[in-house]
Amino acid sequence: MKNIVLSLLIASFFFTANGQTTARRPASAAQKQKAAASLPIRRVVLYSNGVAYIERRGMVDGNAEVELSFRQSQVDDVLKSMVVLDLGQGKIGAVSYNSSAPTSSTMSEIPFSVTPVSDDGSGISSVLSQLQGAKVQVTSTKGTATGSILTVERKQITSEKETKFTSVLVIASESGEISSYDLNEVRSVKLLDEGTKKDINEFANATASARRLDAKTITVTSQGTGRREMVVSYTIAAPIWKTTYRVVMDDEGKPFFQGWAIVDNVSDEDWTGVQMSLVSGSPISFIQNLQKPFYRYRPVVPTPADLQLRPQVYEPQSGTLPVNGRRMSNETEANMDRTVLKDRDIEALPNDPDGMQRNLKALVGASAGSSGGQIYIDGFTGGQVPSVSIALTSGRSGITATAKGADIGDLFEYRIEQPTTVERNRSALIPIVQTKMDGERVAVYNEAVRADRPLSGVLLKNTTDLTFENGSLTVLEGNAYAGEALMERLKPKEERLISFALDLGTLITVRNEGSREPSKLIKAVDGVFQIHSFRAETKTYEIANQSDRPKVLYIEFPIRKGWEPSAASPKPDSVTQNFYRYRVPLAKFEEKKFALSFQQPLLESYRLDNISRDQIDLFIRNRSIDAATKSKLEALIDIRTRIAELDQKLNALSSESAQIASDQARLRENIESLAKTPEAKTLIARYVAKANDQETRLETIDKEKEALTEQKNQLRRDLAAVIKGFE
């Protein structure tokens, strides 16, 4: 069985007949490197949105043809962005690449398919059964025979022990002899028809093309004479470059800042001596389906870190409030001890490949006459090697920032000055900044983060012209690790709080008080009685500095909609988008109370023509109105009460008039129904007399209603005048 499959594979990959060759094989790794070497990568620009700009430059001669290989996933970006230049007046020809027809489409044109091979030979039998009529040469344990395939049969073989199935190939020879061969006994099947061989080759090539990851080769041609320079540039997807920082605090809490960029070369080609730039910003970039079906990409969600204390990212201040006239210095000085270094101290230094011992001994000897064989060296303490903080701040770290920054429109570029080499499938740390920073050691308190203690931190001010991309930050203090932080993008001249550890030397207790202040303003506007007051809230921070050194504490208080600091509250040192920020200096072992008060404006509205006596009593209890206002409101209520009494009288007269009308209708019906008898005449006379009395009463009612209506209208006019003139 395996022999049959092997024979088909050999026929598919190595068949050559009548001068016709198989489909073009993919270029080998050596060929790819040779083609790429003619235009090596000279410039790489990495963007923080996941795109890399690649620029290739090299010399070509005569009619040049350069082949560049790309991964399948890179071709869409390359086709969308490629720029080709011939700097020697050559003529750029077509940029071509191998076909992108989907494998399913190519396979559908081949007149057979291959199913997976199984133990009973159904895989190869499936192929042979689709090749009916094809001329083959069969080699089996019985010998060799030539004929055309008639069919492939399935047979059941039953024995005393088991029942199994086998596939039998049936062929017919040119002489008309029909033979059958058990495929388990067949060693090879050789295809003799050229058309069948071609189909097998096409199937194998299509399958291999679908399996290859480097299936795209882009060929760039240029027609010209002589030796000249050629440039090809394009953009491809690439890992975003990352930043990581170190902050070294000296004894006075002043920061020294060091920044590194992390770049990843996940391509199939080394970046050797390239000009590298790192661009911070978010240019718009997208993938357009230019050569293959579109694939959707899912976002990568990081696994939450199991940390008891999460890193805090602090907002930049909005700049709407002054910083109480304080300005930080643009330069800081590292305070380094000066100690005596003697011969025995020099001998105690570790391995000295750069000749430090020899040079220091020479200095000691030269100064022996004036200083007794001693020399003062900044940064050394008692013959020990320099600490990390001293080495960095003194400039003797051996690390030099190799990047220069510049704005590119809305973007910011770090241009690495020295040629950079990053081998394929490797990453590199590149120093981009090393400088003293302006700032101070602080503690940051936010009640929502932790209620009892602040976080240790540092207030950084970017005194450089560089924009620092967001990234992780490691803090070193006292020649040791102090903590870590996250920092958002920091622009030139911008300040940012960074917290990196829990401050165990400061204890804070918060007490809250709430109240409602008496009304500050009462107005009557368009018949509406308005009472303006405030809901007040006071938060008192009881702060205890439990350490033997002074501190600066920053308290962050959330900005709440509708609330504002009261006049008695301290003004914030700065304001961010979501917080008021207050600066509280603390002496060593000092205990201090710091109170903040905020107020929320309240507005209560009542219609003057609808105020009740119960509401007036409530106003008095809340001290919202005085006695004079109470009298005015009660006068309004008196007028409304008299109007209500007149309404009641008018309603009573209307009811009486309606009752009389009903009685008169009943009397008319009775009169019409009475017979003309002496008794009826007497009753009718009685009804008529009563009706006359009712008519007289109706006339009286109309006059009374008219008088009451006039009184009511007058009272309404009086009420409107009082409301309009209410103050």
Side-chain angles (χ1 to χ4, degrees), residues 247 388-389 475-483:
V247 171
V388 173
S389 59
V475 179
L476 304 176
E477 186 176 27
N479 198 27
Y481 168 83

Side-chain angles (χ1 to χ4, degrees), residues 250-457:
D250 62 15
D251 294 338
E252 297 181 355
K254 298 298 182 181
F256 184 86
F257 197 77
Q258 185 182 82
W260 296 76
I262 301 176
V263 298
D264 307 291
N265 180 7
V266 298
S267 68
D268 297 329
E269 191 172 349
D270 295 340
W271 297 342
T272 304
V274 301
Q275 178 188 343
M276 180 169 289
S277 295
L278 310 174
V279 177
S280 170
S282 298
I284 296 176
S285 182
F286 55 87
I287 297 175
Q288 191 174 21
N289 183 16
L290 297 178
Q291 54 92 32
K292 280 188 71 72
F294 178 76
Y295 293 90
R296 290 190 179 275
Y297 294 90
R298 296 175 294 167
V300 177
V301 179
T303 303
D306 185 15
L307 298 178
Q308 294 182 349
L309 190 64
R310 296 181 63 85
Q312 302 297 310
V313 178
Y314 295 93
E315 301 171 345
Q317 65 186 50
S318 62
T320 56
L321 291 178
V323 192
N324 296 338
R326 291 191 298 273
R327 293 181 60 88
M328 292 190 291
S329 172
N330 289 331
E331 294 185 1
T332 58
E333 296 292 338
N335 184 22
M336 297 185 295
D337 296 332
R338 298 169 60 89
T339 58
V340 177
L341 189 66
K342 300 182 179 180
D343 286 345
R344 64 177 180 272
D345 299 320
I346 300 175
E347 297 290 346
L349 291 175
N351 294 335
D352 186 27
D354 295 328
M356 182 183 292
Q357 293 182 5
R358 182 176 65 255
N359 294 335
L360 290 178
K361 284 183 178 180
L363 289 174
V364 170
S367 59
S370 59
S371 59
Q374 300 174 350
I375 184 170
Y376 290 92
I377 304 295
D378 288 347
F380 286 81
T381 305
Q384 299 178 354
V385 296
S387 66
V388 173
S389 59
I390 292 177
L392 283 174
T393 56
S394 64
R396 294 196 297 271
S397 63
I399 298 174
T400 303
T402 61
K404 282 190 175 182
D407 291 325
I408 309 176
D410 294 331
L411 308 178
F412 188 85
E413 177 189 22
Y414 290 93
R415 181 172 296 174
I416 311 302
E417 294 183 300
Q418 301 297 329
T420 302
T421 297
V422 183
E423 297 179 356
R424 59 179 177 174
N425 296 322
R426 292 187 65 85
S427 301
L429 274 170
I430 301 175
I432 56 176
V433 60
Q434 180 164 285
T435 181
K436 293 180 179 179
M437 294 280 279
D438 204 350
E440 61 179 341
R441 182 77 151 76
V442 298
V444 185
Y445 179 76
N446 189 314
E447 188 177 1
V449 176
R450 180 149 179 162
D452 58 342
R453 293 190 184 276
L455 299 179
S456 295

Side-chain angles (χ1 to χ4, degrees), residues 509-520:
T509 303
V510 181
R511 305 190 185 281
N512 297 307
E513 297 179 2
S515 64
R516 175 166 175 163
E517 299 180 2
S519 302
K520 300 297 184 182

Side-chain angles (χ1 to χ4, degrees), residues 651-665 698 701 705:
N651 291 336
L653 291 175
S654 297
S655 298
E656 183 180 358
S657 177
Q659 183 62 42
I660 291 174
S662 177
D663 288 344
Q664 287 182 342
L698 287 174
I701 289 174
K705 288 175 66 176

